[in-house]
Amino acid sequence: MGKMLAHLCISWILFVLVAYVVFPVYELGKPKTDFNFFLIYTLMSLACIGIGMMLSAISNNLLFVTDVALFFTSPAFVFSGFTFPRWAMPWYDRFYADIMPYTHFLDGFIKLYFMELPLSYATPELFKLLVFIGITFPLSIVFFQKKVNQYLKENRI
């Protein structure tokens, strides 16, 4: 929980910088959508933190975890539909796009922030981000608990 809260606080600082510094500078600010933007941003942050924690829990090799994380997140802009439409991608690329939280964040962000739609219109995206959170955090707990139990068993504590 402590690690997750630390990462979440950093992501909230980044949210404040984006929403209240970067967006106003480029005249993208829409104050009436701030809560919806904060909600979907927080869910995306938690989904990404959960993936990172799960990878850390599964493997003891920091270099491997870093490589997997970079491989997983590097093509996010291409596969998310930000630079190329997902409907024009082959099925396996669409599948890869669906297993990245950024894809669902971007769909919801466009609806909630730029289209200024009510929160109910982004329900599918919010649900998908909650699924990421609901899968990765429990798996992280299970794998971390196995590591703790193995350590206790090896050291007879």
Side-chain angles (χ1 to χ4, degrees):
M1 284 300 281
K3 185 177 183 179
M4 185 263 311
L5 288 174
H7 285 286
L8 191 58
C9 287
I10 297 296
S11 75
W12 285 339
I13 291 169
L14 293 174
F15 168 80
V16 168
L17 288 173
V18 167
Y20 299 110
V21 176
V22 175
F23 280 7
V25 165
Y26 293 102
E27 298 177 1
L28 296 172
K30 299 182 183 221
K32 61 183 174 185
T33 62
D34 283 346
F35 174 75
N36 291 345
F37 178 30
F38 177 75
L39 179 66
I40 198 158
Y41 182 89
T42 299
L43 289 177
M44 188 217 26
S45 296
L46 285 170
C48 292
I49 292 166
I51 290 170
M53 288 180 67
M54 184 181 70
L55 290 173
S56 294
I58 291 172
S59 176
N60 289 331
N61 187 342
L62 182 61
L63 185 59
F64 170 74
V65 171
T66 304
D67 285 344
V68 169
L70 286 174
F71 177 77
F72 183 71
T73 58
S74 294
F77 288 111
V78 174
F79 288 102
S80 67
F82 184 74
T83 58
F84 189 78
R86 281 193 313 273
W87 59 263
M89 295 180 188
W91 70 268
Y92 46 86
D93 288 340
R94 285 194 307 264
F95 173 77
Y96 185 70
D98 282 337
I99 62 171
M100 290 188 300
Y102 183 70
T103 302
H104 310 295
F105 164 77
L106 184 64
D107 290 345
F109 174 72
I110 290 170
K111 289 177 184 177
L112 297 174
Y113 195 78
F114 289 114
M115 297 171 116
E116 298 181 22
L117 296 172
L119 199 56
S120 60
Y121 282 83
T123 302
E125 290 80 14
L126 296 173
F127 178 75
K128 289 173 185 174
L129 290 171
L130 286 170
V131 167
F132 275 102
I133 295 165
I135 290 173
T136 57
F137 280 102
L139 282 175
S140 299
I141 291 169
V142 168
F143 284 113
F144 277 132
Q145 188 62 52
K146 281 186 177 186
K147 282 185 178 182
V148 168
N149 290 344
Q150 183 66 27
Y151 176 80
L152 294 174
K153 184 178 176 183
E154 288 173 1
N155 294 308
R156 300 185 201 285
I157 296 177

